[in-house]
Amino acid sequence: TIPYKQDIIPYLNRLDDTAQAIGAVNTVKVLHRDGGVELVGYNTDWTGFTKSFAGLLEGHSKALILGTGGVSKAVKYALDKMGIENRFVSRSSDFEIMGYYELSPSVMEEYDVIVNCTPMGMWPETNHCPDIPYGFLSEKHLLLDVIANPDETLFMKKGREHGATVKGGKDMLELQAEAAWEIWDRIGE
């Protein structure tokens, strides 16, 4: 669904409440009604993220979300639901979005969870990773990558080299797909 999670919204008849709150859609259900078709948008990324990573996030209170696309919005929604304070990080910064250049030692110390929601490191561009100061990572950090292919991204490898706990997005992908299947399998609406 990259990069259309936000672009698809104007083409849908309606969004469920969660997709509306997130502002991104990764699942569309086609309903046949009164001889017509209704397209309903949902977001299951947040469910996949929550089910995949919640156990690892226990005891953590602050997270950096790398990227500002559709999946990052779902991750923010999930982190908010879990009570984990979070900030977006992007190449372009403003009042609400931190720039990569702002990731100082004190920021890296304060935010011990970093979630890669960018496509950097996804197959076939596996030699790329987000431009964070990996040297400031330690064993107290948790690096989560929503990328499912490859199993270990360069982002994760660099985190592991500095003692961080890391986990990739394969489970998240499977869990969000299961949630999508449940939506498609429901009769009516």
Side-chain angles (χ1 to χ4, degrees):
T1 55
I2 288 174
Y4 303 110
K5 293 179 183 196
Q6 296 167 88
D7 294 344
I8 194 171
I9 292 173
Y11 299 98
L12 304 175
N13 298 102
R14 65 183 169 94
L15 305 179
D16 86 319
D17 292 342
T18 304
Q20 183 72 41
I22 292 170
V25 168
N26 72 323
T27 302
V28 176
K29 183 168 185 170
V30 179
L31 298 172
H32 299 277
R33 304 204 181 214
D34 302 322
V37 172
E38 181 181 23
L39 302 176
V40 184
Y42 297 85
N43 188 298
T44 63
D45 281 335
W46 81 276
T47 303
F49 179 86
T50 302
K51 289 180 177 180
S52 179
F53 298 118
L56 287 172
L57 288 162
E58 290 178 16
H60 293 276
S61 61
K62 290 189 173 189
L64 296 173
I65 303 169
L66 308 181
T68 57
V71 74
S72 68
K73 290 172 175 32
V75 167
K76 177 176 183 28
Y77 183 85
L79 291 171
D80 287 347
K81 289 275 190 194
M82 289 185 256
I84 297 174
E85 184 180 324
N86 55 79
R87 295 273 317 261
F88 287 117
V89 179
S90 184
R91 292 170 291 180
S92 301
S93 64
D94 62 27
F95 182 72
E96 294 182 15
I97 300 171
M98 188 179 294
Y100 283 98
Y101 66 90
E102 296 177 78
L103 299 180
S104 65
S106 61
V107 169
M108 296 296 285
E109 175 73 22
E110 182 180 358
Y111 292 86
D112 58 354
V113 176
I114 304 172
V115 186
N116 179 30
C117 296
T118 75
M120 295 190 78
M122 184 169 29
W123 186 88
E125 304 289 331
T126 58
N127 292 328
H128 294 81
C129 62
D131 188 21
I132 65 169
Y134 294 92
F136 299 144
L137 297 175
S138 69
E139 66 281 343
K140 78 171 201 136
H141 283 92
L142 173 61
L143 271 62
L144 307 176
D145 203 327
V146 301
I147 292 173
N149 184 12
D151 288 337
E152 182 177 68
T153 61
L154 185 56
F155 169 77
M156 293 166 58
K157 182 179 179 186
K158 286 185 170 195
R160 190 183 314 278
E161 288 170 356
H162 289 90
T165 300
V166 302
K167 183 174 181 184
K170 183 178 179 186
D171 290 343
M172 179 183 164
L173 176 67
E174 292 171 0
L175 291 163
Q176 69 80 27
E178 287 175 10
W181 184 258
E182 289 173 13
I183 290 166
W184 293 325
D185 199 38
R186 287 193 306 240
I187 305 295
E189 257 325 274

